[in-house]
mmCIF file of all heavy atoms in Angstrom:
data_model
loop_
_atom_site.group_PDB
_atom_site.id
_atom_site.type_symbol
_atom_site.label_atom_id
_atom_site.label_comp_id
_atom_site.label_asym_id
_atom_site.label_seq_id
_atom_site.Cartn_x
_atom_site.Cartn_y
_atom_site.Cartn_z
ATOM 1 N N ILE A 85 0.834 -1.199 0.000
ATOM 2 C CA ILE A 85 0.000 0.000 0.000
ATOM 3 C C ILE A 85 0.869 1.249 0.000
ATOM 4 O O ILE A 85 1.759 1.401 0.826
ATOM 5 C CB ILE A 85 -0.941 0.017 1.220
ATOM 6 C CG1 ILE A 85 -1.854 -1.201 1.169
ATOM 7 C CG2 ILE A 85 -1.766 1.286 1.246
ATOM 8 C CD1 ILE A 85 -2.735 -1.342 2.381
ATOM 9 N N SER A 86 0.595 2.122 -0.945
ATOM 10 C CA SER A 86 1.335 3.382 -1.039
ATOM 11 C C SER A 86 0.350 4.542 -0.957
ATOM 12 O O SER A 86 -0.547 4.665 -1.790
ATOM 13 C CB SER A 86 2.107 3.445 -2.366
ATOM 14 O OG SER A 86 2.743 4.699 -2.521
ATOM 15 N N LEU A 87 0.495 5.353 0.064
ATOM 16 C CA LEU A 87 -0.350 6.537 0.250
ATOM 17 C C LEU A 87 0.528 7.771 0.321
ATOM 18 O O LEU A 87 1.591 7.754 0.954
ATOM 19 C CB LEU A 87 -1.181 6.411 1.529
ATOM 20 C CG LEU A 87 -2.290 5.353 1.519
ATOM 21 C CD1 LEU A 87 -2.806 5.127 2.928
ATOM 22 C CD2 LEU A 87 -3.427 5.775 0.610
ATOM 23 N N ARG A 88 0.076 8.818 -0.293
ATOM 24 C CA ARG A 88 0.828 10.060 -0.283
ATOM 25 C C ARG A 88 0.580 10.808 1.026
ATOM 26 O O ARG A 88 -0.439 10.580 1.695
ATOM 27 C CB ARG A 88 0.451 10.913 -1.485
ATOM 28 C CG ARG A 88 0.720 10.190 -2.805
ATOM 29 C CD ARG A 88 0.762 11.117 -3.981
ATOM 30 N NE ARG A 88 1.127 10.391 -5.190
ATOM 31 C CZ ARG A 88 1.522 10.969 -6.320
ATOM 32 N NH1 ARG A 88 1.593 12.278 -6.393
ATOM 33 N NH2 ARG A 88 1.845 10.235 -7.364
ATOM 34 N N PRO A 89 1.485 11.725 1.396
ATOM 35 C CA PRO A 89 1.334 12.428 2.684
ATOM 36 C C PRO A 89 -0.016 13.109 2.854
ATOM 37 O O PRO A 89 -0.608 13.046 3.938
ATOM 38 C CB PRO A 89 2.484 13.444 2.650
ATOM 39 C CG PRO A 89 3.527 12.786 1.804
ATOM 40 C CD PRO A 89 2.772 12.049 0.746
ATOM 41 N N TYR A 90 -0.542 13.763 1.811
ATOM 42 C CA TYR A 90 -1.816 14.453 1.967
ATOM 43 C C TYR A 90 -2.962 13.469 2.140
ATOM 44 O O TYR A 90 -3.983 13.789 2.775
ATOM 45 C CB TYR A 90 -2.073 15.391 0.785
ATOM 46 C CG TYR A 90 -2.411 14.725 -0.526
ATOM 47 C CD1 TYR A 90 -3.724 14.379 -0.836
ATOM 48 C CD2 TYR A 90 -1.424 14.434 -1.463
ATOM 49 C CE1 TYR A 90 -4.041 13.765 -2.036
ATOM 50 C CE2 TYR A 90 -1.728 13.821 -2.657
ATOM 51 C CZ TYR A 90 -3.037 13.491 -2.942
ATOM 52 O OH TYR A 90 -3.358 12.884 -4.128
ATOM 53 N N GLN A 91 -2.811 12.247 1.601
ATOM 54 C CA GLN A 91 -3.834 11.219 1.812
ATOM 55 C C GLN A 91 -3.783 10.698 3.246
ATOM 56 O O GLN A 91 -4.828 10.489 3.874
ATOM 57 C CB GLN A 91 -3.638 10.078 0.808
ATOM 58 C CG GLN A 91 -3.880 10.484 -0.637
ATOM 59 C CD GLN A 91 -3.494 9.407 -1.631
ATOM 60 O OE1 GLN A 91 -2.465 8.744 -1.468
ATOM 61 N NE2 GLN A 91 -4.303 9.216 -2.663
ATOM 62 N N MET A 92 -2.589 10.491 3.768
ATOM 63 C CA MET A 92 -2.434 10.067 5.161
ATOM 64 C C MET A 92 -3.003 11.129 6.100
ATOM 65 O O MET A 92 -3.668 10.807 7.097
ATOM 66 C CB MET A 92 -0.956 9.821 5.461
ATOM 67 C CG MET A 92 -0.349 8.648 4.716
ATOM 68 S SD MET A 92 -0.828 7.053 5.420
ATOM 69 C CE MET A 92 0.142 7.075 6.939
ATOM 70 N N GLU A 93 -2.747 12.381 5.772
ATOM 71 C CA GLU A 93 -3.229 13.475 6.624
ATOM 72 C C GLU A 93 -4.753 13.519 6.619
ATOM 73 O O GLU A 93 -5.387 13.738 7.657
ATOM 74 C CB GLU A 93 -2.649 14.795 6.107
ATOM 75 C CG GLU A 93 -2.849 15.989 7.035
ATOM 76 C CD GLU A 93 -4.174 16.693 6.798
ATOM 77 O OE1 GLU A 93 -4.725 16.570 5.688
ATOM 78 O OE2 GLU A 93 -4.655 17.374 7.723
ATOM 79 N N ALA A 94 -5.361 13.280 5.455
ATOM 80 C CA ALA A 94 -6.823 13.273 5.352
ATOM 81 C C ALA A 94 -7.413 12.130 6.170
ATOM 82 O O ALA A 94 -8.421 12.302 6.873
ATOM 83 C CB ALA A 94 -7.251 13.163 3.892
ATOM 84 N N ILE A 95 -6.799 10.954 6.102
ATOM 85 C CA ILE A 95 -7.285 9.798 6.870
ATOM 86 C C ILE A 95 -7.273 10.113 8.365
ATOM 87 O O ILE A 95 -8.179 9.708 9.103
ATOM 88 C CB ILE A 95 -6.436 8.554 6.561
ATOM 89 C CG1 ILE A 95 -6.708 8.084 5.120
ATOM 90 C CG2 ILE A 95 -6.725 7.431 7.552
ATOM 91 C CD1 ILE A 95 -5.789 6.978 4.652
ATOM 92 N N GLY A 96 -6.272 10.852 8.811
ATOM 93 C CA GLY A 96 -6.195 11.227 10.220
ATOM 94 C C GLY A 96 -7.331 12.117 10.665
ATOM 95 O O GLY A 96 -7.641 12.194 11.867
ATOM 96 N N ARG A 97 -7.964 12.806 9.734
ATOM 97 C CA ARG A 97 -9.077 13.701 10.079
ATOM 98 C C ARG A 97 -10.443 13.099 9.772
ATOM 99 O O ARG A 97 -11.467 13.687 10.096
ATOM 100 C CB ARG A 97 -8.932 15.027 9.310
ATOM 101 C CG ARG A 97 -7.745 15.866 9.756
ATOM 102 C CD ARG A 97 -7.696 17.217 9.077
ATOM 103 N NE ARG A 97 -7.319 17.107 7.656
ATOM 104 C CZ ARG A 97 -8.106 17.445 6.646
ATOM 105 N NH1 ARG A 97 -9.333 17.907 6.882
ATOM 106 N NH2 ARG A 97 -7.683 17.331 5.401
ATOM 107 N N MET A 98 -10.455 11.938 9.150
ATOM 108 C CA MET A 98 -11.731 11.330 8.776
ATOM 109 C C MET A 98 -12.420 10.685 9.975
ATOM 110 O O MET A 98 -11.774 10.305 10.952
ATOM 111 C CB MET A 98 -11.509 10.293 7.664
ATOM 112 C CG MET A 98 -11.105 10.912 6.337
ATOM 113 S SD MET A 98 -10.639 9.679 5.085
ATOM 114 C CE MET A 98 -12.223 8.875 4.781
ATOM 115 N N HIS A 99 -13.738 10.566 9.866
ATOM 116 C CA HIS A 99 -14.537 9.957 10.932
ATOM 117 C C HIS A 99 -15.831 9.448 10.320
ATOM 118 O O HIS A 99 -16.176 9.767 9.179
ATOM 119 C CB HIS A 99 -14.845 10.976 12.030
ATOM 120 C CG HIS A 99 -15.503 12.237 11.518
ATOM 121 N ND1 HIS A 99 -16.868 12.348 11.316
ATOM 122 C CD2 HIS A 99 -14.980 13.430 11.141
ATOM 123 C CE1 HIS A 99 -17.160 13.546 10.857
ATOM 124 N NE2 HIS A 99 -16.027 14.229 10.735
ATOM 125 N N ASN A 100 -16.541 8.640 11.072
ATOM 126 C CA ASN A 100 -17.798 8.092 10.583
ATOM 127 C C ASN A 100 -18.760 9.217 10.186
ATOM 128 O O ASN A 100 -18.949 10.188 10.922
ATOM 129 C CB ASN A 100 -18.455 7.224 11.658
ATOM 130 C CG ASN A 100 -19.684 6.504 11.134
ATOM 131 O OD1 ASN A 100 -19.616 5.777 10.153
ATOM 132 N ND2 ASN A 100 -20.824 6.714 11.778
ATOM 133 N N GLY A 101 -19.342 9.094 8.995
ATOM 134 C CA GLY A 101 -20.305 10.086 8.534
ATOM 135 C C GLY A 101 -19.698 11.313 7.893
ATOM 136 O O GLY A 101 -20.400 12.293 7.631
ATOM 137 N N CYS A 102 -18.398 11.288 7.614
ATOM 138 C CA CYS A 102 -17.754 12.468 7.023
ATOM 139 C C CYS A 102 -17.873 12.452 5.500
ATOM 140 O O CYS A 102 -18.253 11.452 4.892
ATOM 141 C CB CYS A 102 -16.293 12.552 7.437
ATOM 142 S SG CYS A 102 -15.216 11.316 6.647
ATOM 143 N N ILE A 103 -17.536 13.583 4.904
ATOM 144 C CA ILE A 103 -17.515 13.732 3.451
ATOM 145 C C ILE A 103 -16.069 13.965 3.037
ATOM 146 O O ILE A 103 -15.491 15.009 3.354
ATOM 147 C CB ILE A 103 -18.377 14.913 2.985
ATOM 148 C CG1 ILE A 103 -19.800 14.791 3.503
ATOM 149 C CG2 ILE A 103 -18.365 15.028 1.464
ATOM 150 C CD1 ILE A 103 -20.657 16.036 3.231
ATOM 151 N N LEU A 104 -15.481 13.001 2.361
ATOM 152 C CA LEU A 104 -14.108 13.161 1.859
ATOM 153 C C LEU A 104 -14.189 13.896 0.531
ATOM 154 O O LEU A 104 -14.742 13.395 -0.446
ATOM 155 C CB LEU A 104 -13.436 11.805 1.686
ATOM 156 C CG LEU A 104 -12.001 11.829 1.153
ATOM 157 C CD1 LEU A 104 -11.076 12.563 2.124
ATOM 158 C CD2 LEU A 104 -11.498 10.418 0.890
ATOM 159 N N CYS A 105 -13.638 15.091 0.508
ATOM 160 C CA CYS A 105 -13.762 15.958 -0.668
ATOM 161 C C CYS A 105 -12.399 16.153 -1.312
ATOM 162 O O CYS A 105 -11.465 16.643 -0.674
ATOM 163 C CB CYS A 105 -14.359 17.302 -0.261
ATOM 164 S SG CYS A 105 -14.664 18.421 -1.638
ATOM 165 N N GLY A 106 -12.296 15.766 -2.569
ATOM 166 C CA GLY A 106 -11.054 15.951 -3.310
ATOM 167 C C GLY A 106 -11.344 16.023 -4.789
ATOM 168 O O GLY A 106 -12.280 15.396 -5.278
ATOM 169 N N GLY A 107 -10.575 16.778 -5.504
ATOM 170 C CA GLY A 107 -10.789 16.941 -6.931
ATOM 171 C C GLY A 107 -10.589 15.645 -7.691
ATOM 172 O O GLY A 107 -10.032 14.667 -7.172
ATOM 173 N N VAL A 108 -11.057 15.647 -8.938
ATOM 174 C CA VAL A 108 -10.881 14.483 -9.799
ATOM 175 C C VAL A 108 -9.390 14.170 -9.930
ATOM 176 O O VAL A 108 -8.577 15.052 -10.181
ATOM 177 C CB VAL A 108 -11.498 14.748 -11.190
ATOM 178 C CG1 VAL A 108 -11.243 13.578 -12.112
ATOM 179 C CG2 VAL A 108 -12.984 15.035 -11.073
ATOM 180 N N GLY A 109 -9.023 12.923 -9.712
ATOM 181 C CA GLY A 109 -7.627 12.511 -9.825
ATOM 182 C C GLY A 109 -6.819 12.657 -8.555
ATOM 183 O O GLY A 109 -5.608 12.414 -8.562
ATOM 184 N N SER A 110 -7.468 13.024 -7.449
ATOM 185 C CA SER A 110 -6.729 13.235 -6.203
ATOM 186 C C SER A 110 -6.507 11.955 -5.406
ATOM 187 O O SER A 110 -5.786 11.955 -4.412
ATOM 188 C CB SER A 110 -7.471 14.253 -5.322
ATOM 189 O OG SER A 110 -8.778 13.799 -5.013
ATOM 190 N N GLY A 111 -7.138 10.854 -5.822
ATOM 191 C CA GLY A 111 -6.945 9.591 -5.122
ATOM 192 C C GLY A 111 -7.907 9.378 -3.971
ATOM 193 O O GLY A 111 -7.545 8.772 -2.957
ATOM 194 N N LYS A 112 -9.149 9.840 -4.128
ATOM 195 C CA LYS A 112 -10.150 9.677 -3.055
ATOM 196 C C LYS A 112 -10.417 8.202 -2.774
ATOM 197 O O LYS A 112 -10.593 7.809 -1.621
ATOM 198 C CB LYS A 112 -11.460 10.376 -3.437
ATOM 199 C CG LYS A 112 -11.383 11.883 -3.525
ATOM 200 C CD LYS A 112 -12.753 12.500 -3.747
ATOM 201 C CE LYS A 112 -13.393 12.073 -5.061
ATOM 202 N NZ LYS A 112 -12.636 12.522 -6.237
ATOM 203 N N SER A 113 -10.469 7.394 -3.814
ATOM 204 C CA SER A 113 -10.789 5.973 -3.626
ATOM 205 C C SER A 113 -9.735 5.297 -2.760
ATOM 206 O O SER A 113 -10.059 4.581 -1.798
ATOM 207 C CB SER A 113 -10.878 5.271 -4.983
ATOM 208 O OG SER A 113 -11.852 5.876 -5.812
ATOM 209 N N ARG A 114 -8.471 5.498 -3.083
ATOM 210 C CA ARG A 114 -7.382 4.900 -2.310
ATOM 211 C C ARG A 114 -7.417 5.411 -0.864
ATOM 212 O O ARG A 114 -7.206 4.649 0.087
ATOM 213 C CB ARG A 114 -6.044 5.232 -2.976
ATOM 214 C CG ARG A 114 -4.799 4.758 -2.233
ATOM 215 C CD ARG A 114 -4.712 3.230 -2.187
ATOM 216 N NE ARG A 114 -4.614 2.663 -3.515
ATOM 217 C CZ ARG A 114 -3.460 2.416 -4.137
ATOM 218 N NH1 ARG A 114 -2.310 2.696 -3.546
ATOM 219 N NH2 ARG A 114 -3.461 1.868 -5.332
ATOM 220 N N THR A 115 -7.692 6.693 -0.696
ATOM 221 C CA THR A 115 -7.742 7.280 0.646
ATOM 222 C C THR A 115 -8.887 6.691 1.454
ATOM 223 O O THR A 115 -8.730 6.360 2.634
ATOM 224 C CB THR A 115 -7.899 8.811 0.552
ATOM 225 O OG1 THR A 115 -6.847 9.348 -0.255
ATOM 226 C CG2 THR A 115 -7.855 9.455 1.926
ATOM 227 N N ALA A 116 -10.053 6.550 0.833
ATOM 228 C CA ALA A 116 -11.219 5.988 1.525
ATOM 229 C C ALA A 116 -10.961 4.548 1.965
ATOM 230 O O ALA A 116 -11.298 4.146 3.087
ATOM 231 C CB ALA A 116 -12.441 6.053 0.614
ATOM 232 N N LEU A 117 -10.350 3.753 1.094
ATOM 233 C CA LEU A 117 -10.040 2.372 1.454
ATOM 234 C C LEU A 117 -8.952 2.320 2.524
ATOM 235 O O LEU A 117 -8.951 1.412 3.363
ATOM 236 C CB LEU A 117 -9.614 1.595 0.215
ATOM 237 C CG LEU A 117 -10.733 1.317 -0.793
ATOM 238 C CD1 LEU A 117 -10.174 0.669 -2.061
ATOM 239 C CD2 LEU A 117 -11.803 0.418 -0.175
ATOM 240 N N GLY A 118 -8.038 3.295 2.500
ATOM 241 C CA GLY A 118 -7.036 3.384 3.558
ATOM 242 C C GLY A 118 -7.686 3.623 4.909
ATOM 243 O O GLY A 118 -7.272 3.060 5.931
ATOM 244 N N TYR A 119 -8.744 4.444 4.916
ATOM 245 C CA TYR A 119 -9.488 4.697 6.155
ATOM 246 C C TYR A 119 -10.178 3.418 6.630
ATOM 247 O O TYR A 119 -10.127 3.074 7.817
ATOM 248 C CB TYR A 119 -10.507 5.803 5.915
ATOM 249 C CG TYR A 119 -11.460 6.032 7.072
ATOM 250 C CD1 TYR A 119 -11.038 6.700 8.221
ATOM 251 C CD2 TYR A 119 -12.777 5.581 7.005
ATOM 252 C CE1 TYR A 119 -11.908 6.913 9.282
ATOM 253 C CE2 TYR A 119 -13.656 5.783 8.053
ATOM 254 C CZ TYR A 119 -13.215 6.444 9.191
ATOM 255 O OH TYR A 119 -14.090 6.643 10.238
ATOM 256 N N PHE A 120 -10.828 2.704 5.713
ATOM 257 C CA PHE A 120 -11.480 1.442 6.061
ATOM 258 C C PHE A 120 -10.458 0.451 6.616
ATOM 259 O O PHE A 120 -10.708 -0.226 7.624
ATOM 260 C CB PHE A 120 -12.174 0.852 4.824
ATOM 261 C CG PHE A 120 -12.683 -0.545 5.005
ATOM 262 C CD1 PHE A 120 -13.897 -0.785 5.649
ATOM 263 C CD2 PHE A 120 -11.954 -1.640 4.539
ATOM 264 C CE1 PHE A 120 -14.367 -2.079 5.828
ATOM 265 C CE2 PHE A 120 -12.419 -2.942 4.720
ATOM 266 C CZ PHE A 120 -13.626 -3.159 5.370
ATOM 267 N N TYR A 121 -9.327 0.370 5.965
ATOM 268 C CA TYR A 121 -8.243 -0.524 6.389
ATOM 269 C C TYR A 121 -7.803 -0.203 7.814
ATOM 270 O O TYR A 121 -7.669 -1.102 8.661
ATOM 271 C CB TYR A 121 -7.094 -0.371 5.391
ATOM 272 C CG TYR A 121 -5.788 -1.044 5.749
ATOM 273 C CD1 TYR A 121 -5.661 -2.425 5.715
ATOM 274 C CD2 TYR A 121 -4.677 -0.277 6.093
ATOM 275 C CE1 TYR A 121 -4.445 -3.038 6.020
ATOM 276 C CE2 TYR A 121 -3.464 -0.872 6.394
ATOM 277 C CZ TYR A 121 -3.350 -2.248 6.368
ATOM 278 O OH TYR A 121 -2.159 -2.850 6.666
ATOM 279 N N ALA A 122 -7.598 1.074 8.103
ATOM 280 C CA ALA A 122 -7.158 1.483 9.437
ATOM 281 C C ALA A 122 -8.247 1.244 10.480
ATOM 282 O O ALA A 122 -7.954 0.841 11.613
ATOM 283 C CB ALA A 122 -6.756 2.953 9.422
ATOM 284 N N GLN A 123 -9.504 1.461 10.108
ATOM 285 C CA GLN A 123 -10.615 1.258 11.039
ATOM 286 C C GLN A 123 -10.809 -0.213 11.396
ATOM 287 O O GLN A 123 -11.404 -0.531 12.426
ATOM 288 C CB GLN A 123 -11.912 1.802 10.425
ATOM 289 C CG GLN A 123 -11.976 3.321 10.315
ATOM 290 C CD GLN A 123 -12.002 3.984 11.674
ATOM 291 O OE1 GLN A 123 -11.040 4.632 12.091
ATOM 292 N NE2 GLN A 123 -13.091 3.824 12.401
ATOM 293 N N ASN A 124 -10.304 -1.082 10.558
ATOM 294 C CA ASN A 124 -10.475 -2.519 10.779
ATOM 295 C C ASN A 124 -9.184 -3.218 11.194
ATOM 296 O O ASN A 124 -9.010 -4.416 10.946
ATOM 297 C CB ASN A 124 -11.061 -3.164 9.528
ATOM 298 C CG ASN A 124 -12.535 -2.877 9.372
ATOM 299 O OD1 ASN A 124 -13.386 -3.621 9.867
ATOM 300 N ND2 ASN A 124 -12.873 -1.787 8.696
ATOM 301 N N GLY A 125 -8.298 -2.453 11.816
ATOM 302 C CA GLY A 125 -7.112 -3.059 12.415
ATOM 303 C C GLY A 125 -5.855 -3.001 11.585
ATOM 304 O O GLY A 125 -4.793 -3.430 12.046
ATOM 305 N N GLY A 126 -5.941 -2.505 10.360
ATOM 306 C CA GLY A 126 -4.742 -2.359 9.554
ATOM 307 C C GLY A 126 -3.884 -1.208 10.044
ATOM 308 O O GLY A 126 -4.374 -0.282 10.693
ATOM 309 N N VAL A 127 -2.612 -1.275 9.766
ATOM 310 C CA VAL A 127 -1.682 -0.215 10.165
ATOM 311 C C VAL A 127 -1.127 0.429 8.913
ATOM 312 O O VAL A 127 -0.483 -0.235 8.091
ATOM 313 C CB VAL A 127 -0.534 -0.777 11.034
ATOM 314 C CG1 VAL A 127 0.436 0.346 11.405
ATOM 315 C CG2 VAL A 127 -1.089 -1.448 12.281
ATOM 316 N N LEU A 128 -1.411 1.721 8.764
ATOM 317 C CA LEU A 128 -0.947 2.426 7.573
ATOM 318 C C LEU A 128 0.543 2.648 7.650
ATOM 319 O O LEU A 128 1.062 3.167 8.625
ATOM 320 C CB LEU A 128 -1.688 3.765 7.442
ATOM 321 C CG LEU A 128 -3.179 3.649 7.116
ATOM 322 C CD1 LEU A 128 -3.871 4.996 7.263
ATOM 323 C CD2 LEU A 128 -3.366 3.112 5.702
ATOM 324 N N GLY A 129 1.239 2.242 6.635
ATOM 325 C CA GLY A 129 2.685 2.372 6.595
ATOM 326 C C GLY A 129 3.193 1.644 5.374
ATOM 327 O O GLY A 129 2.442 1.303 4.466
ATOM 328 N N SER A 130 4.450 1.376 5.344
ATOM 329 C CA SER A 130 5.038 0.749 4.167
ATOM 330 C C SER A 130 4.781 -0.753 4.113
ATOM 331 O O SER A 130 4.788 -1.343 3.044
ATOM 332 C CB SER A 130 6.545 1.013 4.129
ATOM 333 O OG SER A 130 7.165 0.497 5.299
ATOM 334 N N THR A 131 4.554 -1.377 5.245
ATOM 335 C CA THR A 131 4.374 -2.826 5.276
ATOM 336 C C THR A 131 2.919 -3.166 5.598
ATOM 337 O O THR A 131 2.338 -2.613 6.534
ATOM 338 C CB THR A 131 5.291 -3.474 6.324
ATOM 339 O OG1 THR A 131 6.642 -3.135 6.019
ATOM 340 C CG2 THR A 131 5.136 -4.982 6.314
ATOM 341 N N TYR A 132 2.365 -4.085 4.850
ATOM 342 C CA TYR A 132 0.972 -4.463 5.044
ATOM 343 C C TYR A 132 0.796 -5.235 6.346
ATOM 344 O O TYR A 132 1.506 -6.201 6.612
ATOM 345 C CB TYR A 132 0.499 -5.326 3.872
ATOM 346 C CG TYR A 132 -0.993 -5.592 3.845
ATOM 347 C CD1 TYR A 132 -1.843 -4.794 3.098
ATOM 348 C CD2 TYR A 132 -1.540 -6.649 4.574
ATOM 349 C CE1 TYR A 132 -3.206 -5.036 3.069
ATOM 350 C CE2 TYR A 132 -2.898 -6.897 4.555
ATOM 351 C CZ TYR A 132 -3.734 -6.090 3.812
ATOM 352 O OH TYR A 132 -5.082 -6.335 3.793
#
């Protein structure tokens, strides 16, 4: 998993019921799944 710094920063501010807002091509899908991954016990970093 590779996430850019601004995506990691967004995940840190996300919460249930939030609206993740980013322009076309900003990687919202990857960021949203990163949030799901972290919420379910995954650890965001270089190693899965």
Side-chain angles (χ1 to χ4, degrees):
I85 299 175
S86 175
L87 291 167
R88 301 198 175 195
Y90 72 86
Q91 294 172 319
M92 293 284 288
E93 191 273 337
I95 290 172
R97 292 185 288 116
M98 291 173 68
H99 54 85
N100 187 56
C102 72
I103 305 172
L104 179 63
C105 184
V108 177
S110 59
K112 293 187 297 296
S113 302
R114 176 66 62 91
T115 305
L117 290 174
Y119 173 76
F120 170 81
Y121 171 71
Q123 290 294 110
N124 284 270
V127 179
L128 292 169
S130 59
T131 302
Y132 190 95

